[in-house]
Amino acid sequence: MKKEELLNLRNMGIVAHIDAGKTTTTERILYYTGKIYKMGEVDEGSTEMDWMAQERERGITITAAATTCFWKDARINIIDTPGHVDFTVEVVRSLRVLDGMIAIFCGVGGVEPQSETVWRYANKYNVPRIAFVNKLDRIGSDFNRVLEEMKTKLFAKIVKLQIPIYKKDEFIGVIDILERKQIIWDEESKGMKFYEEPIPKKLKDEIEFERENIIEVVAEYDDKICEKYLAGKEIATPEIKLLIRKGTIKNAVVPVLCGSAFKNKGIQSLLDAVVDYLPSPLDVEAVKGINPITNKEEVRETSDEVPFSALSFKLATDSYVGQLIYLKIYSGILRQGEIVYNVNRDKKERISRLLRMHANKREDIQEASAGDIVACVGLKFTRTGDTLSNIKNPILLESIQFPEPVISVAIEPKTQADQQKLSEALSKLQDEDPTFKVKFEAETLQTLISGMGELHLEIITDRLTREFSVGANIGKPMVSYRETIKTNSRGEGKYIRQSGGRGQYGHCIIELYPNTGNGFIFENKIKGGVIKEEYISSIKNGIEEAMTSGILGGYPVIDIKAILIDGSYHEVDSSEIAFKIAGSIAFREAMKNAYPILMEPIMKLEIYTPEPNLGEVIADINVRRGKIINLTEKASLKIVDAMVPLAEMFGYATDLRSLTQGRATYTMEFFRYEEVPDDIVKKFLDVSLYRKSVA
Ligand code: GDP
């Protein structure tokens, strides 16, 4: 891509609280940029972005679909992101690859709890943003109140660019403060036409005052213009725009616009603002990564001249082309037919097709450049978060971190005929979504699916029926427990069978240590070759296999260090499989004596409640074994921060609603695993079997 083209490229996401109007706004953007010819309505279930059937029904956007459109000289890649907290993983992964975003707020609801959560994520990933206050046609909407909330709740330094105009309570246009003019939309043409008029005399002073305010906020972002301003000289509109752009790219200020997506108002100015203020790939810092050969850090500038590197940020199954992988290209050029290197998997992959996506339509392209977002077909090993690079110049970019799933349900096919289809569909869904896991429990002969929340699993089971036409029965949601140990111990594993002919011989002794927060580590400390080198990894594999199902309740075992200290082998009878089994036996033996404990997911809960309900809300948290961490206040609401075991939180949405007559809202996120208190464990597990040896 030429430099001017890169400067005119915008990779942006649209994020918002659920129902603020993200889907409608995206839809209008696609309409005005000429990509679609019939405007869809969320309520009629015909929007372009929400192409999955159940998204239409629910009216919410679940998977991030990337789409490209053009506005004036700019190319805009839009990643649609979901608003529900159960899908923050989708938001996070898009923030990782975006250069900027539009945050949409509802003109009535204002800054809602989930907007704050997403805003904090955007701060964490340092994503520059502009804000759009939507739904100003609705009764009860108040642009200025939302601006105040953005200041007090989000601590945003805002740049107010517009003032809404009402005629007898009807929202008809906006005043463009910088251009000193007013824009009145033409209802008949669905807002495609609008009239520009001079501002009424009586508003002149107010507009000048607002204009001055803008300059004051952003003057510091350019020394020359700042000097001019301090010297009392007139600052021209293009200069102010440049200042706002600089401040926005620095992520120091947030330009705010307003409108009504539903009534086709304000979308053109929003698109202008995207081009004027959001960064191009050249404005953001060059990406860094590790060269896997030298282990040194390297930088890849956003340029076609440097070796190719890209991050895969989304896998999706497409009914026409099969598996699609979305890539953000950070450097170099990617060509159709080319072979690239997957650094994470150490595999070469061929790009058989390169596509530019428009929701569920696609356009084949021959090549794509640094800074762009595209989808490709033909990759066999690549998963979400992997780096692809030029074969000769490998680099490993920082991956996207995904949380472990915390909730599971048992799933079974409705009929025999569904059996095969079910396992295929689940495996596809697992490939797409790094926070969705499938596991077969050998002991209970059950398949368990796990995810990030009740709604997450509900959507998945919905997709099974709709997209994959599989009938399945679902059990009750269950907490995904983990097991670990509290003390050191030793275990011996012998797998010896000698009955004529070639037998089996595997023998090892291991020690286990708690390894809190550091996962699984295996060390080999045997002396004098008492076990042949070739069998060591089999012992490790045996331990890892045993760890998938712990001795307490068959839950995965985490945070353990295993040291191989002794054993023996037989010249003829020993085999890899015999040592693998010996490793498993030794592990189970050792774990019994290591004070095994059960760990449960603890959730971070944030509740917004009116003062009169505070007492009941807190009492209820205590009943749920929760701990109150903090109590603060924002606007007229009390905010309760608490840590609560997930096991106590099923159905909380309904309970909180009835407790507060629907006045309180909350957000919940996974925080960490903690030990389950013994009195709770005893209700469903017999730990006494393993606790005798401990004083
Ligand atoms: P999302 O959940 O953020 O994607 O929100 P949607 O775009 O699905 O909108 C949620 C609801 O608000 C739908 O019923 C829309 O028709 C409605 N809506 C969206 N924008 C506006 C608007 O500007 N004014 C009004 N009155 N309703 C809107």
Side-chain angles (χ1 to χ4, degrees):
M1 222 183 279
K2 288 198 207 94
K3 193 161 174 213
E4 305 98 80
E5 282 177 76
L6 257 183
L7 282 170
N8 279 324
L9 176 62
R10 300 287 175 272
N11 293 313
M12 65 143 191
I14 303 184
V15 294
H17 182 276
I18 193 158
D19 251 15
K22 199 174 42 225
T23 312
T24 313
T25 307
T26 310
E27 188 64 25
R28 298 306 191 258
I29 289 178
L30 294 179
Y31 178 74
Y32 288 116
T33 55
K35 274 278 180 176
I36 51 171
Y37 302 102
K38 182 181 163 289
M39 231 184 261
E41 298 299 349
V42 176
D43 306 311
E44 290 164 14
S46 66
T47 64
E48 284 273 311
M49 290 296 275
D50 281 345
W51 47 280
M52 291 195 310
Q54 90 280 17
E55 285 192 33
R56 290 184 182 182
E57 269 178 25
R58 286 165 199 259
I60 53 173
T61 315
I62 295 144
T63 19
T67 184
T68 297
C69 59
F70 295 88
W71 184 246
K72 297 184 177 164
D73 292 329
R75 179 213 295 271
I76 303 174
N77 289 324
I78 310 171
I79 304 276
D80 190 26
T81 53
H84 194 282
V85 261
D86 275 5
F87 308 110
T88 34
V89 54
E90 295 279 354
V91 180
V92 169
R93 76 162 125 211
S94 13
L95 290 181
R96 173 76 168 73
V97 296
L98 290 174
D99 301 322
M101 70 183 216
I102 302 176
I104 300 185
F105 297 93
C106 168
V108 183
V111 178
E112 287 152 296
Q114 277 171 19
S115 330
E116 288 191 58
T117 309
V118 178
W119 194 269
R120 281 200 297 270
Y121 275 120
N123 287 345
K124 183 170 159 192
Y125 288 89
N126 203 15
V127 183
R129 67 209 84 155
I130 54 185
F132 181 65
V133 179
N134 189 32
K135 301 201 187 183
L136 286 194
D137 60 299
R138 277 187 55 189
I139 298 173
S141 62
D142 185 341
F143 183 49
N144 285 328
R145 193 189 63 227
V146 182
L147 292 180
E148 270 318 300
E149 285 185 12
M150 288 180 68
K151 286 186 211 161
T152 53
K153 292 189 179 175
L154 306 174
F155 308 103
K157 206 163 153 192
I158 60 168
V159 175
K160 176 172 155 188
L161 294 174
Q162 298 175 331
I163 299 173
I165 306 173
Y166 293 88
K167 191 173 161 190
K168 289 194 194 133
D169 285 345
E170 195 193 335
F171 175 56
I172 55 158
V174 291
I175 291 175
D176 182 330
I177 298 171
L178 289 181
E179 301 289 354
R180 299 181 171 105
K181 65 184 183 199
Q182 61 182 30
I183 298 168
I184 308 292
W185 292 289
D186 169 46
E187 292 272 340
E188 301 243 307
S189 67
K190 292 212 162 183
M192 280 297 263
K193 280 193 211 146
F194 49 84
Y195 310 101
E196 292 184 1
E197 298 169 355
I199 41 175
K201 273 206 183 88
K202 61 174 195 246
L203 288 178
K204 280 220 160 104
D205 287 347
E206 186 188 337
I207 303 309
E208 285 315 308
F209 174 76
E210 295 283 4
R211 206 164 180 276
E212 199 68 12
N213 269 346
I214 296 177
I215 303 174
E216 225 153 74
V217 173
V218 294
E220 62 177 287
Y221 301 112
D222 187 286
D223 291 346
K224 267 199 191 142
I225 306 178
C226 190
E227 262 174 46
K228 207 169 146 187
Y229 174 63
L230 292 175
K233 292 191 184 138
E234 162 86 12
I235 311 291
T237 300
E239 286 177 309
I240 306 176
K241 286 191 173 172
L242 186 74
L243 289 174
I244 301 175
R245 176 174 183 81
K246 285 190 167 181
T248 310
I249 290 173
K250 270 197 162 162
N251 210 359
V253 302
V254 181
V256 190
L257 297 96
C258 63
S260 160
F262 185 64
K263 300 270 169 135
N264 317 303
K265 290 175 176 150
I267 303 299
Q268 294 98 331
S269 330
L270 183 63
L271 281 163
D272 284 343
V274 166
V275 180
D276 286 342
Y277 307 127
L278 286 183
S280 79
L282 289 179
D283 293 311
V284 292
E285 240 181 85
V287 73
K288 292 192 187 102
I290 302 287
N291 179 327
I293 300 164
T294 61
N295 249 335
K296 295 224 168 80
E297 189 176 273
E298 287 182 10
V299 175
R300 292 279 188 276
E301 301 292 337
T302 313
S303 155
D304 288 354
E305 311 301 319
V306 288
F308 164 74
S309 71
L311 188 78
S312 97
F313 67 95
K314 169 131 185 113
L315 266 67
T317 315
D318 181 286
S319 44
Y320 294 97
V321 296
Q323 191 170 64
L324 272 180
I325 297 186
Y326 288 85
L327 296 179
K328 160 85 182 261
I329 305 176
Y330 283 95
S331 61
I333 298 181
L334 180 63
R335 293 184 180 85
Q336 186 259 323
E338 199 167 27
I339 308 235
V340 295
Y341 177 54
N342 181 324
V343 191
N344 302 70
R345 319 261 158 205
D346 189 19
K347 295 273 191 218
K348 287 179 187 152
E349 295 260 49
R350 184 169 178 274
I351 310 280
S352 58
R353 279 174 83 182
L354 259 187
L355 302 165
R356 207 175 278 300
M357 299 300 292
H358 170 65
N360 59 342
K361 294 190 212 97
R362 50 197 81 71
E363 166 202 353
D364 274 277
I365 50 174
Q366 290 310 306
E367 60 173 51
S369 285
D372 215 346
I373 286 179
V374 290
C376 58
V377 182
L379 306 185
K380 293 196 176 65
F381 307 100
T382 304
R383 293 282 163 268
T384 304
D386 287 0
T387 303
L388 297 179
S389 77
N390 175 289
I391 298 178
K392 291 197 191 115
N393 300 276
I395 185 166
L396 184 64
L397 305 175
E398 191 194 329
S399 184
I400 308 171
Q401 297 291 330
F402 295 109
E404 283 291 310
V406 290
I407 179 171
S408 332
V409 296
I411 185 166
E412 57 178 32
K414 274 213 170 102
T415 65
Q416 198 67 31
D418 287 319
Q419 179 88 52
Q420 179 66 16
K421 278 200 295 186
L422 178 67
S423 59
E424 279 170 18
L426 288 177
S427 120
K428 271 192 184 160
L429 288 167
Q430 182 169 246
D431 284 348
E432 275 180 30
D433 180 349
T435 58
F436 173 67
K437 299 259 158 74
V438 183
K439 190 183 164 197
F440 181 70
E441 301 268 303
E443 278 153 37
T444 53
L445 300 177
Q446 262 185 337
T447 301
L448 284 185
I449 56 172
S450 328
M452 297 315 296
E454 286 175 88
L455 181 61
H456 186 198
L457 293 183
E458 228 176 81
I459 299 281
I460 296 248
T461 44
D462 232 42
R463 285 184 68 188
L464 283 175
T465 359
R466 288 164 195 277
E467 263 173 66
F468 298 92
S469 320
V470 186
N473 292 324
I474 300 295
K476 277 217 174 84
M478 295 175 288
V479 172
S480 297
Y481 291 99
R482 298 283 187 271
E483 294 179 23
T484 190
I485 55 171
K486 273 182 112 168
T487 60
N488 311 345
S489 70
R490 181 177 284 210
E492 181 167 17
K494 269 189 194 160
Y495 185 67
I496 301 173
R497 298 278 181 282
Q498 272 146 337
S499 52
R502 195 182 155 181
Q504 295 284 1
Y505 190 102
H507 174 217
C508 64
I509 299 176
I510 61 166
E511 279 176 359
L512 294 185
Y513 294 87
N515 194 34
T516 314
N518 291 317
F520 171 63
I521 295 179
F522 175 80
E523 267 178 36
N524 171 17
K525 284 196 181 162
I526 52 165
K527 296 198 183 78
V530 292
I531 302 173
K532 262 194 184 167
E533 189 60 36
E534 63 195 88
Y535 299 131
I536 305 292
S537 63
S538 306
I539 296 173
K540 179 181 175 222
N541 291 344
I543 297 174
E544 278 186 296
E545 199 174 284
M547 283 175 65
T548 59
S549 173
I551 59 165
L552 287 179
Y555 302 107
V557 181
I558 55 166
D559 292 350
I560 278 189
K561 181 171 174 180
I563 304 182
L564 175 63
I565 53 163
D566 206 356
S568 59
Y569 74 100
H570 185 279
E571 270 305 338
V572 181
D573 292 346
S574 279
S575 65
E576 286 179 4
I577 185 78
F579 272 101
K580 190 173 168 193
I581 297 172
S584 292
I585 298 171
F587 175 80
R588 296 180 80 82
E589 266 311 300
M591 189 172 175
K592 281 181 193 164
N593 300 321
Y595 204 94
I597 55 169
L598 200 65
M599 309 277 282
E600 63 178 342
I602 303 294
M603 310 302 282
K604 203 159 83 187
L605 184 67
E606 191 174 67
I607 310 161
Y608 283 67
T609 176
E611 163 103 59
N613 298 101
L614 184 64
E616 290 143 294
V617 168
I618 290 183
D620 176 64
I621 292 297
N622 289 329
V623 173
R624 292 172 195 271
R625 295 196 279 129
K627 287 185 206 111
I628 309 291
I629 304 297
N630 204 5
L631 207 58
T632 45
E633 209 168 346
K634 258 187 209 171
S636 59
L637 290 178
K638 294 280 177 194
I639 307 167
V640 184
D641 286 305
M643 301 289 174
V644 192
L646 175 65
E648 311 290 337
M649 292 303 286
F650 292 132
Y652 187 63
T654 322
D655 293 351
L656 185 70
R657 212 176 297 135
S658 62
L659 203 62
T660 64
Q661 297 80 47
R663 294 164 77 200
T665 52
Y666 75 100
T667 60
M668 188 164 81
E669 270 175 305
F670 169 67
F671 179 56
R672 66 170 177 219
Y673 272 94
E674 274 180 18
E675 182 177 351
V676 186
D678 257 4
D679 52 326
I680 306 285
V681 176
K682 280 181 191 142
K683 285 186 192 157
F684 63 107
L685 284 180
D686 187 2
V687 282
S688 64
L689 286 174
Y690 310 109
R691 298 280 167 84
K692 282 176 293 214
S693 55
V694 181

